């Protein structure tokens, strides 16, 4: 058995990180495939997150969120749903259980036991360059198709191997036979190199909802700037004497603070970028200038506490609005600016522990900076928390993209809503989406 097996009607091919059904093939990221293999090796058993971290990521230090992302992408690829699972069942506070039928592929021996070998650690995937053509509608994803006989980018037959084989055979075979063996070995090496180059050539594939939405944010090399709102405060501070630490002086300082909802949304973006091994910088809105924003992609976190969010979002169809006295906050549609359906009254919020909040998520190329921009902000605390959850969860992003009209571009913005109880947001709902 070469490792191929079936999960229900899907043929799983770990060596090429592919799954196939009805003649249609999809590719999975190497780590995602390894998670699927581990679950299949322990079908109908509970596999803990600790086991997956130990066997799939080994010595790498990652959080549980990477496992959640992998499970989400497996479910999306196999057409499974978390609320009514047919393939992967979530066991709260324990792990995951593969409940589908697992069997050997038809090409394996019928008498072989249904035991799947562990998948060897594949090379680290290199993000492919995104398609920047104006007509392209699908971003390229990540695909590692290294042939099983190739390791570290070199053919399995090396020059040292050929030299050793040649030396050992000199005393046993005639000169002509030795020359013929060397020629065949070199020809085999050249053939492997040609196959390697052909297989490694870039090709468009079906991207996951997360990699499709985040696009160049996870495929480019330059660091992603996360512009987060800061809150100036005037608080008393204390300085101690370097010679006599017991002696101190009280001074008035102006430290900066960050609200918890903005910090939470920022950490959602940070965790996702880390899972793609992307570099990032975190910078306060008050010290961010236009030149900073022109250097590359920026994630703008926060709304009415982030001046850059308000400036950049003015060009959008859906954008933020407030009454002159700031008592009413809203997201409005430029095609119907008088409609304040997505609004909240700040006075009523202060008197109630239950209300509906709204948020705006937009991914586009800013005409002010000429660079990709992502806006994540809510009218109040609950909206920003919900927006941060939305941009980092595959099922949410799949719902956002599944209704995109044919011919639409890579820019999208969505108005979200969530019911907030005691300051905590509930499930996220999509109120309106605009593609261009």
């Amino acid at each position: 058995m070469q490792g191929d097996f079936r999960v229900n009607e899907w043929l799983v091919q770990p060596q090429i990180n592919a799954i196939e059904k009805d003649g249609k093939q999809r590719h999975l990221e190497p780590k995602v495939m390894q998670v699927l293999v581990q679950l299949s090796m322990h079908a109908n058993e509970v596999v803990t997150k600790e086991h997956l971290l130990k066997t799939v990521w080994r010595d790498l230090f990652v959080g549980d969120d990477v496992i959640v992302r992998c499970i989400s992408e497996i479910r999306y690829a196999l057409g499974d749903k978390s609320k009514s699972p047919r393939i992967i069942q979530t066991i709260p506070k324990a792990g995951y259980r593969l409940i589908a039928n697992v069997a050997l592929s038809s090409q394996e021996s019928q008498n072989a036991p249904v035991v799947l070998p562990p998948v060897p650690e594949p090379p680290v995937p290199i993000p492919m360059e995104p398609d920047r053509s104006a007509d392209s509608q699908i971003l390229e994803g990540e695909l590692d198709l290294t042939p099983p006989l190739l390791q570290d980018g070199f053919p399995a037959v090396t020059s040292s191997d050929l030299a050793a084989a040649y030396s050992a055979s000199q005393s046993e075979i005639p000169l002509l036979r030795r020359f013929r063996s060397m020629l065949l070995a070199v020809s085999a090496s050249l053939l492997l190199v040609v196959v390697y180059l052909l297989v490694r050539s870039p090709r468009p594939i079906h991207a996951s909802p997360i990699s499709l939405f985040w696009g160049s944010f996870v495929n480019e090399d330059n660091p992603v700037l996360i512009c987060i709102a800061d809150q100036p405060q005037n608080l008393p501070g204390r300085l101690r004497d370097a010679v006599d630490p017991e002696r101190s002086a009280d001074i008035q300082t102006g430290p900066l603070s960050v609200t918890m909802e903005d910090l939470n949304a920022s950490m959602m973006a940070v965790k996702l970028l880390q899972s793609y091994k992307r570099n990032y910088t975190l910078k306060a809105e008050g010290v961010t200038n236009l030149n900073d924003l022109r250097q590359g992609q920026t994630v703008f976190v926060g709304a009415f506490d982030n001046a850059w969010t308000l400036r950049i979002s003015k060009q959008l169809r859906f954008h933020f609005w407030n009454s002159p006295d700031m008592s009413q906050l809203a997201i409005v549609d430029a095609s119907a600016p008088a409609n304040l359906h997505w609004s909240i009254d700040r006075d009523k919020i202060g008197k109630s522990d239950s209300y509906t909040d709204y948020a705006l998520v937009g991914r586009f190329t800013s005409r002010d900076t000429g660079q990709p921009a992502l806006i994540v902000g809510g009218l109040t605390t609950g909206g920003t928390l919900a927006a941060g959850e939305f941009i980092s969860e595959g099922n949410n992003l799949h719902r956002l993209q599944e209704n995109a009209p044919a011919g639409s571009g890579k820019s999208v913005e969505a108005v979200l809503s969530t019911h907030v109880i005691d300051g905590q947001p509930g499930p996220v709902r999509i109120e309106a989406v605009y593609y261009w």
Side-chain angles (χ1 to χ4, degrees), residues 343-412:
S343 66
I344 59 175
D345 190 321
R346 294 178 60 242
D347 293 334
K348 292 181 180 180
I349 290 179
K351 301 175 183 178
S352 174
D353 59 358
S354 175
Y355 64 96
T356 299
D357 200 354
Y358 299 94
L360 181 64
V361 168
R363 185 208 62 215
F364 56 99
T365 299
S366 170
R367 66 188 181 196
D368 297 315
T369 67
Q371 295 291 343
L374 176 60
I375 287 179
V376 185
L379 298 184
T380 66
T381 301
T384 300
L385 288 172
E389 174 187 340
F390 186 88
I391 63 168
S392 59
E393 215 284 319
N395 290 334
N396 287 332
L397 296 178
H398 173 62
R399 288 191 293 135
L400 178 65
Q401 298 158 9
E402 63 181 349
N403 295 321
S408 60
K410 298 177 182 178
S411 299
V412 60

Side-chain angles (χ1 to χ4, degrees), residues 42-54:
H42 303 279
N44 294 314
E45 300 177 11
V46 178
V47 180
T48 65
K49 292 183 179 180
E50 291 76 13
H51 175 81
L52 292 174
L53 290 174
K54 181 179 179 180

Side-chain angles (χ1 to χ4, degrees), residues 92 116 216 231 247 287 298:
L116 304 177
S216 61
Q231 300 286 341
R247 178 176 174 272
V287 294
T298 303

Side-chain angles (χ1 to χ4, degrees), residues 74-148:
I74 292 173
R75 283 175 171 154
Y76 172 71
L78 299 179
D80 196 23
K81 296 182 179 180
S82 59
K83 295 183 178 180
S84 54
R86 297 184 303 106
I87 296 177
I88 298 178
Q89 180 184 25
T90 300
I91 309 299
K93 298 183 179 180
Y96 302 95
R97 185 164 69 103
L98 193 139
I99 57 178
N101 293 324
V102 177
L104 299 175
S105 68
S106 58
Q107 297 178 354
E108 299 291 340
S109 172
Q110 295 181 356
N111 296 323
V114 184
V115 178
L116 304 177
V119 178
E121 183 73 10
V124 177
I126 301 176
M128 299 171 64
E129 282 294 322
D131 186 358
R132 296 183 177 84
S133 64
D135 297 331
S136 176
Q137 301 299 321
I138 299 179
L139 293 178
E140 292 182 341
E142 298 178 357
L143 178 62
D144 193 303
L145 288 179
T146 307

